[in-house]
Amino acid sequence: KAGVTQTPRYLIKTRGQQVTLSCSPISGHRSVSWYQQTPGQGLQFLFEYFSETQRNKGNFPGRFSGRQFSNSRSEMNVSTLELGDSALYLCASSLEVSREQFFGPGTRLTVL
Amino acid sequence: QQQVKQSPQSLIVQKGGISIINCAYENTAFDYFPWYQQFPGKGPALLIAIRPDVSEKKEGRFTISFNKSAKQFSLHIMDSQPGDSATYFCAASAGGAQKLVFGQGTRLTINP
């Protein structure tokens, strides 16, 4: 089975721009969660989607948003980028009835 | 109360030795405690997980010990190998939610 895939792997943007990151979960996994990883704050939960609905949300500003499609693929969007948004953005998927989350390789976002 | 505190930040162990990483939590609603291993440039990979009704779980060279009354859990890596050199994260979640709260991570180096 293929793992979680994320595109693009690397992205460079400038302050004020917006960005969209994509995540394809493991086949059969309907829950997709997003995390931000930085050296200072570590791994922090952004949000979780299940059956196209946001089921849980972390403590991030409204500039961070996401959605999930009927095929379980998910996107996250960050608007009005700030320097502090530079991070590795990780997507994880899981089965409906499982607590086990499987992470993708991440998208490295650099904001200049 | 949502925090998970992890120690040490870094750890150097000789090949063949035992690596021990500790985590502590405050939120008594946490009921799922996984450990993840992350290599540079990769996403975190699930190693092993435990629930609070069990005091110990072993998978190969990896063992989780869980002390519910002390609200602490730890990862033991037996017969540590250079290939185990990575960053390790403990995490916790509550009530069936996919939202993981992560510790700050431990950079483990196994000297040959």
Side-chain angles (χ1 to χ4, degrees):
Chain A
K1 232 181 209 182
V4 176
T5 58
Q6 292 187 244
T7 56
R9 292 293 313 277
Y10 302 91
L11 207 47
I12 299 175
K13 292 285 188 179
T14 56
R15 277 184 300 172
Q17 287 186 310
Q18 75 164 21
V19 67
T20 300
L21 313 181
S22 181
C23 171
S24 292
I26 293 171
S27 177
H29 288 194
R30 294 170 62 195
S31 169
V32 174
S33 299
W34 289 87
Y35 293 82
Q36 181 195 66
Q37 185 174 23
T38 60
Q41 298 299 316
L43 278 151
Q44 293 187 287
F45 173 82
L46 280 155
F47 29 64
E48 183 222 349
Y49 286 87
F50 178 79
S51 289
E52 302 178 65
T53 302
Q54 188 180 90
R55 196 158 66 170
N56 219 329
K57 190 178 188 308
N59 192 25
F60 278 82
R63 300 185 297 106
F64 292 81
S65 63
R67 59 177 175 168
Q68 186 180 35
F69 303 95
S70 58
N71 61 358
S72 296
R73 192 177 69 84
S74 177
E75 288 181 349
M76 69 162 281
N77 184 276
V78 188
S79 62
T80 320
L81 283 166
E82 300 177 0
L83 294 179
D85 296 334
S86 294
L88 181 66
Y89 289 89
L90 293 157
C91 166
S93 74
S94 61
L95 286 167
E96 179 179 354
V97 294
S98 173
R99 305 286 286 274
E100 294 182 341
Q101 291 186 47
F102 298 90
F103 283 82
T107 294
R108 170 75 60 186
L109 172 65
T110 301
V111 182
L112 302 176
Chain B
Q1 224 197 5
Q2 284 293 315
Q3 279 187 321
V4 175
K5 294 184 179 178
Q6 184 173 344
S7 63
Q9 274 190 304
S10 62
L11 180 62
I12 300 174
V13 174
Q14 292 299 116
K15 179 183 174 182
I18 303 174
S19 304
I20 302 174
I21 304 170
N22 302 297
C23 286
Y25 64 96
E26 288 295 324
N27 187 353
T28 55
F30 285 149
D31 61 357
Y32 174 70
F33 303 88
W35 284 88
Y36 283 85
Q37 177 191 58
Q38 186 176 29
F39 292 105
K42 307 284 188 183
L46 180 63
L47 264 180
I48 185 172
I50 198 168
R51 294 177 191 264
D53 53 345
V54 176
S55 62
E56 185 175 282
K57 182 175 181 180
K58 186 178 292 188
E59 287 185 6
R61 296 185 294 109
F62 300 93
T63 300
I64 298 180
S65 297
F66 187 83
N67 186 328
K68 189 173 180 179
S69 61
K71 291 184 282 187
Q72 294 175 347
F73 58 110
S74 59
L75 175 70
H76 291 63
I77 306 175
M78 313 300 287
D79 188 27
S80 299
Q81 299 297 312
D84 297 330
S85 297
T87 300
Y88 292 80
F89 294 93
C90 62
S93 66
Q98 297 295 342
K99 175 184 177 180
L100 287 171
V101 178
F102 282 88
Q104 283 298 100
T106 296
R107 183 171 291 184
L108 174 65
T109 302
I110 308 299
N111 282 336

